[in-house]
Amino acid sequence: MEKLNNIYAKKSGNALGGEIDYKALDDKFAARTYNRFPLVISGGRGSILFDDKGKEYIDLGGGIAVNTFGIADPEWAEEVTKQLNLIQHASNLYYTKPAAELARLICEKTGLCRVFFSNSGAEANECGVKAARKYSTDKYGAERHKIITLKNSFHGRTLAMIAATGQEVFHKDFLPVMPGFEYSPADDIDFIKRACSGGSVAAVMVEAVQGEGGVEPLGEEFLRELRDFTEQNDILLIADEVQCGNGRTGRLFGYMNYGITPDIVTTAKGLAGGLPLGATIFGEKTKDTLTPGSHGSTFGGNPVCAAGAINILSRLDEKTLEGVREKSRFLVESLRGAAGVTGVSGLGLMLGISVNGDTDKIISDCIQKGVLPIKAKNKIRLLPALNIPDTLLEKAVAALKKAIAENQKT
Ligand SMILES: *Cc1c(COP(=O)(O)O)cnc(C)c1O
C-alpha cells in the first residue's frame, strides 16, 4: 500500500503519503480498452460534472446517453435509494415488484406485449436475435436464421454482437466472425429484398438513428418500406433502441419518429437513468417465443435498476419530450451555418456536428473551456441530459462554437 502510494502520489500531502493520481493508477492497472480523456470525474449535479480538482464542466455527453436526467437527479435518486434499502437483488427465481411494474409500464407506453430484462445493450440485442432465430426456426426450420443488419451499425461488443455490427473494424482481431449475419447499405431497400429472396432471413435489425456510426437517422421512406416488406414476408423487424431510445430523439423511442411498430425493440443506455439495465421488448408475434429455460440473466430486472427505470420512464411524458425537441431546435439553429460547422445530423438531443477541423483538437479545447461533448466517427456528438437547463445549454453551445471556429482548417 505504501509503495503504491509512493508511485502514484503527488507532492501535496495527505495521511496516505500524498494525493493519489487516479489517472496514473488506472493507466497502469485497468485493461487498456479505452482512450480516456485526461479527466477524473468525481461527482456532479444535474448537467454539471466536477473533476478531482474541483473544476466544473457542462456535460454534453450524458455518460453516452445514459444519465437521462443528469447526475444525482433528486427524484430518481430517492426512488433508487428507497428500493436499495428494501432489497438490492432477489434473483429471477422470485417475482419482484419493480420488475413487474416496469414491464407493465414499458408495454403500456409502447403498445408491445412482453419484456425480458438484462443488464446492457449488447445483451438486450443478443436476446432479440435469439428470439428472432427461435421464432423463425419454430415456424420455418433452422435454415431460416439469417439476420440482416446495416453497414455502419453498432450493436455491441459480445462475439455475436460484433458479428451483428456492420463495421469491419470491430471484427478484425476476433475472427472467425460468428456466421448468420449479412450487411446491407443503409437506406437500400432493394439490397434487403434481394438478400431475403432466398428464404434464409429471419430478421432485419436497425437503429432508427445510427449512433456510433455517426449520428445518422435512417431515411423515412426506407424504414417505412422496410416495415411493409418485412411484415408481408413474416420477417421480423428488430429496432435497436439502445442509444436512440428512452426519449433521446424527442419521442419515447426513435422508431416512433417514423410511425412504424417493430416486432422486437431492444434498449438499455438511458433506460434506468444511469444504472445498468437492458430490455428486449416483444410485440404480438414474438411475445411467447422465448419459453422457460430458453433465456435468462442473473442480474436482469434487478429491483434497484428497475426502480430507477420506472422513475425515468414515467417522467418521459409529452411535456418532457416536447422540451427535448425544443432544446434540439435551439441547438440545431445555433450550430447550422456557424463558423467551421459543415453540417448537423441527428434527432432530438442526439446530434452529430460535422466540422472543418480536427475533432479531437476541438474536444480538447472544449474541455479547457469547461464543456464536455463526445465523438462519433469524425463528428462531434451531443447527448446531453434530456432536462439540461436552457441557460447551461446556451453557455455550452457558445463555448463549443468558439472551439469549432478557433480550430478551423484554413
Ligand atoms: C451502446 C450501444 C450498444 C451496446 O450497449 P452496451 O450497453 O455497451 O452493451 C448497442 N447498440 C447501440 C445502438 C448502442 O448505441
Side-chain angles (χ1 to χ4, degrees):
M1 188 68 196
E2 204 174 17
K3 210 170 153 205
L4 260 191
N5 281 332
N6 285 339
I7 298 171
Y8 302 103
K10 289 189 193 155
K11 294 151 286 167
S12 55
N14 66 19
L16 288 172
E19 188 188 314
I20 295 173
D21 182 345
Y22 291 100
K23 179 180 174 304
L25 208 58
D26 194 282
D27 288 346
K28 181 152 175 75
F29 291 109
R32 303 178 110 166
T33 46
Y34 304 108
N35 272 322
R36 302 189 203 276
F37 294 111
L39 282 184
V40 179
I41 298 298
S42 55
R45 275 293 174 276
S47 283
I48 300 280
L49 295 174
F50 316 129
D51 70 11
D52 57 341
K53 313 207 172 50
K55 184 174 167 182
E56 286 189 4
Y57 301 86
I58 302 173
D59 181 17
L60 295 182
I64 320 187
V66 166
N67 298 326
T68 306
F69 291 126
I71 310 301
D73 174 81
E75 212 186 290
W76 170 83
E78 190 185 327
E79 293 302 321
V80 168
T81 44
K82 231 197 281 173
Q83 182 57 45
L84 188 56
N85 285 310
L86 283 173
I87 182 165
Q88 78 275 27
H89 173 83
S91 90
N92 282 308
L93 299 174
Y94 309 101
Y95 295 93
T96 63
K97 205 169 137 186
E101 263 180 29
L102 177 59
R104 180 184 62 179
L105 186 60
I106 290 173
C107 291
E108 279 175 0
K109 284 196 166 242
T110 57
L112 300 173
C113 309
R114 289 185 184 278
V115 188
F116 177 84
F117 291 117
S118 54
N119 316 285
S120 66
E123 285 172 284
N125 286 339
E126 289 268 346
C127 174
V129 167
K130 274 181 77 174
R133 279 192 176 177
K134 186 164 186 301
Y135 174 85
S136 198
T137 298
D138 287 350
K139 224 166 148 179
Y140 303 101
E143 285 302 297
R144 196 182 188 271
H145 64 259
K146 210 183 275 174
I147 312 289
I148 295 179
T149 61
L150 300 184
K151 292 199 169 142
N152 237 2
S153 57
F154 181 79
H155 297 295
R157 301 286 198 156
T158 60
L159 282 168
M161 285 310 117
I162 59 173
T165 293
Q167 302 188 53
E168 211 159 301
V169 58
F170 291 96
H171 302 168
K172 70 172 185 65
D173 303 336
F174 305 105
L175 304 178
V177 178
M178 185 184 151
F181 294 92
E182 192 174 332
Y183 317 106
S184 166
D187 294 339
D188 190 344
I189 191 69
D190 293 329
F191 183 102
I192 294 179
K193 285 181 178 171
R194 274 197 310 276
C196 292
S197 62
S200 62
V201 173
V204 180
M205 178 158 74
V206 300
E207 301 156 79
V209 184
Q210 292 190 331
E212 303 305 309
V215 202
E216 292 289 351
L218 292 181
E220 231 172 289
E221 200 188 342
F222 167 72
L223 195 45
R224 293 225 183 98
E225 274 191 353
L226 178 63
R227 177 63 289 193
D228 287 345
F229 173 74
T230 48
E231 180 81 56
Q232 286 153 15
N233 292 279
D234 198 21
I235 291 167
L236 300 175
L237 180 62
I238 308 175
D240 177 346
E241 294 276 341
V242 172
Q243 188 164 157
C244 64
N246 309 299
R248 184 52 49 194
T249 65
R251 307 277 171 211
L252 184 61
F253 285 103
Y255 70 80
M256 292 176 174
N257 292 284
Y258 295 79
I260 61 145
T261 306
D263 299 297
I264 297 176
V265 176
T266 65
T267 192
K269 288 200 168 86
L271 177 60
L275 294 170
L277 182 65
T280 309
I281 315 164
F282 300 107
E284 195 60 51
K285 274 188 178 179
T286 51
K287 66 178 184 197
D288 295 319
T289 298
L290 294 179
T291 47
S294 60
H295 199 52
S297 165
T298 298
F299 282 117
N302 172 278
V304 179
C305 302
I310 291 169
N311 178 262
I312 298 292
L313 276 190
S314 42
R315 290 162 68 188
L316 289 176
D317 53 15
E318 206 27 59
K319 186 161 160 269
T320 308
L321 296 173
E322 177 49 33
V324 171
R325 300 194 289 268
E326 235 165 70
K327 289 176 204 297
S328 177
R329 281 192 289 273
F330 164 74
L331 281 174
V332 173
E333 277 164 25
S334 343
L335 287 161
R336 270 209 181 121
V341 173
T342 57
V344 183
S345 66
L347 276 177
L349 289 176
M350 181 173 180
L351 295 174
I353 309 165
S354 306
V355 291
N356 169 30
D358 180 335
T359 346
D360 289 315
K361 268 207 199 130
I362 293 167
I363 291 178
S364 300
D365 198 8
C366 283
I367 295 176
Q368 293 299 315
K369 291 172 160 55
V371 173
L372 302 181
I374 62 175
K375 248 186 18 168
K377 291 264 147 112
N378 57 351
K379 290 183 187 175
I380 295 170
R381 178 169 38 158
L382 308 183
L383 298 164
L386 303 186
N387 62 350
I388 184 171
D390 292 340
T391 49
L392 284 185
L393 207 53
E394 283 161 25
K395 235 174 112 177
V397 143
L400 177 61
K401 278 163 76 171
K402 197 151 177 273
I404 295 171
E406 286 170 1
N407 286 283
Q408 277 186 86
K409 274 194 201 126
T410 46

